[in-house]
Amino acid sequence: MAKIQFIDFGGTARTVEAEPGSTVMEAAIKNGVPGIEAECGGACACATCHVYIEPDWQEKVGAPSSMEEDMLDFAYDVRPNSRLACQITVNTDLDGLTVRTPEKQA
Amino acid sequence: MTETIKTDCLIIGAGPVGLFAVFELGLLDIRAHVVDILDKIGGQCAELYPEKPIYDIPGFPTVTGQGLIDNLMKQIEPFGPTFHLNEMVAEMQSLGTPTAPLFRVKTNADTIFEAKTILIAAGGGSFQPKKPPIPEIETYERESVYYAVRKIETFRGRSVLIVGGGDSALDWTLNLAPVAKRVTLMHRRDDFRAAPHSVEQMRALVRDGAMDLRIGQATKLEGQNGRLEKVLCRDNDGGEFAVECDAMLPFFGLTMKLGPIADWGLSLHENLIPADTEKFETSVPGIFAIGDINTYPGKLKLILSGFHEGALAAQKVQRYVYPDRRVTFQYTTSSTSLQKKLGVA
């Protein structure tokens, strides 16, 4: 298991356990983390699981694929560290990953 | 004054669940009208994942969103539903009684229905444009900021800033460039998800000096009395620039909102509509909720659950539409009367 920390727009942090192989979005939904909507259920088709990767983690998490970049065009308040949580697969290297959720998803 | 459309059943939502409800109602001799806010049939399947495979439709090891919709359209062909696309239901008025319901429903395009029953199959809600994160953007929505082009003439002779990198942004850039005084397209990166052909055409216009392309994001709107004069922007390196314009068209895709149905007086639970599990009727007799929009103990948001819910709701709709009919349950495999309705007997 890997621990993932979500910090919401108001600054409240929540840490959840995520299974390697699952996605950061799934970990959020399973644990009822607010600030992640995932309208499309993980199809990379809605941009409502948008998160900001904390700077320390950007290198480990990596850059979005071109399909994900296309979807990020539709996200709210996109920044250089924006990713879609449904496209980040959890592995033990990401244990301790911290992401922030935006003010709103849409 | 438009003519009132009288119907046995008004279905809200042309997604898979609404479409299959047409089939189940059709077998019971109930014709339906279907309203959807999108300009195409298929709901989320067609809008969000037309090419993505679905693996949990019984009998289809794999089918794409669009493939499922195409098959459903073939399946309901014998029942010839009438579709009202590009329309959103707005006001609802109850004209009947709990035992003989009748509803008057008006859409945002002023179509008026008088329906004996209503099936709400609205999925995640109606698709509405996403708004970009710019403070006070609402102030300008009356006169300067538009989320869709209804009439090209609105933009004649104006300086238009179009924001986005998808097909809507590129198509309108190309269509408005000859009409507007000046078109500026702005996108957060110099890569576009729109059709390559449109992107090439846009780049050619930029080369010819017929329009401008800027890379960046809007941060602030400036103007007076709701009239836009200037949009302040930030490029990816933190540099700032301004685009002078009196019209802005942001294209950031669609999101789903429950919309005016929220004001119909139905009991709601966290933007979902509670329904019973026998008939999938809401707190208002004659109004049903099926598919992702409803909630009940054990609810699963699966397309197959919505199919089941539609079949059961149709049985109760029959009670309202044909109160004196003696109900006999029949199978399409063996009933010649059902087969006649399907046009296969």
Side-chain angles (χ1 to χ4, degrees):
Chain A
M1 294 298 247
K3 281 190 172 28
I4 312 278
Q5 179 175 233
F6 295 86
I7 304 175
D8 71 19
F9 189 70
T12 307
R14 295 175 181 80
T15 301
V16 305
E17 297 265 335
E19 209 169 310
S22 68
T23 68
V24 171
M25 179 279 280
E26 287 169 325
I29 296 297
K30 242 187 216 167
N31 293 284
V33 175
I36 302 274
E37 288 177 15
E39 272 177 7
C40 79
C44 194
C46 71
T48 60
C49 63
H50 176 204
V51 294
Y52 304 116
I53 308 295
E54 283 289 270
D56 299 354
W57 286 93
Q58 266 185 280
E59 203 183 312
K60 265 197 182 149
V61 172
S65 69
S66 67
M67 178 177 78
E68 186 183 337
E69 277 284 7
D70 283 352
M71 264 339 288
L72 276 170
D73 285 349
F74 295 145
Y76 184 88
D77 197 5
V78 181
R79 299 178 197 165
N81 57 338
S82 288
R83 288 289 314 261
L84 295 181
C86 74
Q87 301 300 305
I88 306 170
T89 305
V90 174
N91 58 48
T92 45
D93 283 356
L94 294 186
D95 188 23
L97 170 67
T98 301
V99 303
R100 286 179 185 269
T101 49
E103 182 186 1
K104 57 179 191 172
Q105 288 289 352
Chain B
M1 184 71 199
T2 47
E3 202 185 325
T4 300
I5 298 170
K6 297 197 175 185
T7 180
D8 290 337
C9 185
L10 178 65
I11 299 177
I12 300 165
V17 171
L19 296 180
F20 191 66
V22 170
F23 181 84
E24 289 292 335
L25 291 167
L27 290 179
L28 305 173
D29 310 300
I30 300 158
R31 289 283 188 266
H33 281 255
V34 186
V35 176
D36 199 292
I37 193 169
L38 292 177
D39 58 2
K40 55 178 171 281
I41 290 164
Q44 290 183 49
C45 285
E47 177 66 30
L48 289 183
Y49 48 89
E51 284 147 29
K52 295 207 162 103
I54 309 171
Y55 299 107
D56 61 355
I57 306 295
F60 289 90
T62 169
V63 61
T64 61
Q66 190 59 49
L68 178 65
I69 297 306
D70 293 346
N71 278 332
L72 282 164
M73 285 302 285
K74 205 180 290 171
Q75 195 165 21
I76 67 175
E77 209 176 79
F79 304 121
T82 311
F83 288 95
H84 304 266
L85 299 176
N86 255 325
E87 290 190 45
M88 179 173 70
V89 291
E91 299 152 36
M92 187 280 288
Q93 211 186 334
S94 176
L95 308 173
T97 64
T99 46
L102 186 66
F103 305 97
R104 190 181 160 84
V105 176
K106 194 172 163 186
T107 72
N108 62 348
D110 291 335
T111 308
I112 297 170
F113 297 95
E114 249 179 52
K116 288 182 185 162
T117 56
I118 299 175
L119 285 193
I120 303 174
S126 52
F127 280 97
Q128 292 177 16
K130 284 187 194 175
K131 295 179 181 184
I134 308 170
E136 291 172 15
I137 190 163
E138 290 81 13
T139 322
Y140 295 93
E141 284 172 0
R142 278 178 70 89
E143 297 199 46
S144 299
V145 173
Y146 307 84
Y147 298 100
V149 177
R150 301 240 176 263
K151 285 192 197 118
I152 286 187
E153 280 309 306
T154 309
F155 301 93
R156 182 172 296 279
R158 296 174 78 175
S159 297
V160 185
L161 173 64
I162 296 175
V163 191
D167 283 313
S168 301
L170 269 285
D171 288 352
W172 286 116
T173 296
L174 299 176
N175 284 316
L176 292 179
V179 179
K181 183 174 164 203
R182 189 76 184 170
V183 168
T184 304
L185 173 66
M186 180 163 68
H187 186 39
R188 68 179 183 92
R189 59 196 176 113
D190 199 7
D191 253 321
F192 296 83
R193 73 192 302 262
H197 175 69
S198 313
V199 178
E200 273 167 42
Q201 276 182 284
M202 179 274 293
R203 294 211 190 271
L205 286 177
V206 173
R207 270 197 305 276
D208 295 345
M211 61 163 283
D212 300 306
L213 170 65
R214 304 299 302 259
I215 305 304
Q217 298 189 66
T219 53
K220 190 165 184 274
L221 306 184
E222 284 188 0
Q224 276 174 12
N225 306 322
R227 292 213 181 115
L228 188 62
E229 290 166 5
K230 194 191 276 183
V231 177
L232 303 185
C233 315
R234 191 183 55 218
D235 66 24
N236 293 335
D237 304 316
E240 291 182 358
F241 62 93
V243 176
E244 288 191 14
C245 57
D246 53 17
M248 179 176 173
L249 276 162
F251 291 111
F252 289 95
L254 301 169
T255 183
M256 291 175 276
K257 296 232 163 34
L258 184 54
I261 292 175
D263 304 322
W264 283 13
L266 305 172
S267 301
L268 296 177
H269 177 72
E270 291 179 352
N271 273 324
L272 297 169
I273 305 172
D276 67 59
T277 50
E278 181 194 343
K279 324 175 286 295
F280 298 94
E281 203 161 16
T282 66
S283 59
V284 175
I287 301 185
F288 300 78
I290 57 176
D292 286 0
I293 197 94
N294 75 12
T295 180
Y296 52 83
K299 167 71 181 181
L300 284 181
K301 285 192 185 186
L302 291 178
I303 292 173
L304 77 91
S305 306
F307 289 165
H308 160 80
E309 294 159 14
L312 266 62
Q315 294 293 324
K316 178 65 182 182
V317 169
Q318 175 179 229
R319 297 268 177 200
Y320 287 124
V321 176
Y322 300 110
D324 303 325
R325 182 189 266 182
R326 197 170 65 91
V327 176
T328 48
F329 183 68
Q330 303 175 82
Y331 293 100
T332 53
T333 328
S334 51
S335 156
T336 42
S337 96
L338 290 187
Q339 288 166 1
K340 267 187 198 138
K341 293 175 196 176
L342 290 167
V344 292

